[in-house]
Amino acid sequence: MAIYNTPSDAANTAVRSFLTSVGEHYLGRSFNTGTGYGKFLWLKICEEFGNACAYCEQPALLQIEHLLMFNRTEYGLHHPGNIVPVCKACNKRSRNEDKTYVSWNVHLSQVCAGQAPEIVERRHAKILEHMQRYEYPNLNEQERHAIRVIAEALYENIKAESEKSLAMYRKLDQAFVRKGSGPAA
Ligand SMILES: [Zn+2]
């Protein structure tokens, strides 16, 4: 849980919640990696990657990585085909010049810098095989566009609502709270 929460944080959370719902729509069931069947699947995926990081192959405390990022830029769905285990160090991507994050395959080649090409190729193939095995939905251009439009609208609406809430509080504070009660004790 974040300590400092901005309207953008609330809006981003709403977008992730939407991407979770769409992922579950394609999966046909809920996918909570913290409990029950979702947790079972997550542990199974970790095992398939040898309980090691999908990018650097170090055995470590593993975190969930969404290959197609779980945000307004890549619109990755929360779906077993889109998650792999990674170590803490690999769970941070560099950014492109336009400030967006690099894609998972660029990130993989950066993590593997200096390693033999066949090692990079093997890890790349393993991740692709994972996406296919778990049938990550192959969305067409219209579907991707629809997700993008809805996510953008959701983001802007939630951000605007958060900002409106502060404006409303300021108004109420002036109209009622300050007026009747005199100087604060
Ligand atoms: Zn790693």
Side-chain angles (χ1 to χ4, degrees):
M1 183 72 74
I3 292 169
Y4 181 67
N5 294 281
T6 65
S8 305
D9 293 327
N12 281 323
T13 300
V15 168
R16 285 194 292 269
S17 160
F18 169 62
L19 295 171
T20 297
S21 303
V22 178
E24 290 180 343
H25 161 75
Y26 282 104
L27 188 62
R29 62 190 306 165
S30 71
F31 182 45
N32 177 351
T33 54
T35 181
Y37 181 72
K39 186 174 181 180
F40 164 79
L41 263 188
W42 162 240
L43 294 175
K44 184 166 174 275
I45 292 167
C46 288
E47 214 169 89
E48 286 160 0
F49 279 87
N51 290 308
C53 174
Y55 295 133
C56 72
E57 295 189 334
Q58 293 298 312
L61 198 60
L62 297 168
Q63 304 180 340
I64 291 179
E65 159 83 332
H66 290 87
L67 294 162
L68 296 167
M69 286 178 91
F70 196 32
N71 61 22
R72 276 193 311 146
T73 320
E74 290 201 332
Y75 307 98
L77 306 181
H78 183 63
H79 183 285
N82 195 33
I83 69 167
V84 293
V86 296
C87 72
K88 195 177 172 193
C90 290
N91 206 355
K92 197 170 187 324
R93 295 192 195 184
S94 58
R95 291 180 191 257
N96 296 305
E97 273 180 17
D98 66 358
K99 296 277 167 68
T100 57
Y101 289 99
V102 298
S103 64
W104 70 264
N105 41 341
V106 171
H107 180 56
L108 174 65
S109 42
Q110 289 173 350
V111 166
C112 299
Q115 307 237 34
E118 53 271 25
I119 292 180
V120 189
E121 190 40 51
R122 178 174 48 75
R123 292 177 190 171
H124 187 257
K126 187 166 185 174
I127 291 173
L128 283 182
E129 186 204 334
H130 165 80
M131 292 182 102
Q132 279 164 10
R133 181 186 307 155
Y134 285 90
E135 298 176 326
Y136 186 71
N138 190 13
L139 304 176
N140 65 33
E141 195 43 53
Q142 283 93 333
E143 288 165 330
R144 274 200 291 270
H145 180 71
I147 290 173
R148 192 155 52 233
V149 168
I150 296 170
E152 284 294 341
L154 185 58
Y155 182 88
E156 294 304 332
N157 288 342
I158 297 291
K159 208 168 159 229
E161 284 301 324
S162 302
E163 284 156 5
K164 261 173 17 197
S165 300
L166 175 63
M168 194 189 294
Y169 175 71
R170 281 190 172 137
K171 253 188 219 163
L172 290 173
D173 190 40
Q174 270 187 343
F176 305 114
V177 185
R178 299 275 168 200
K179 208 176 191 175
S181 59

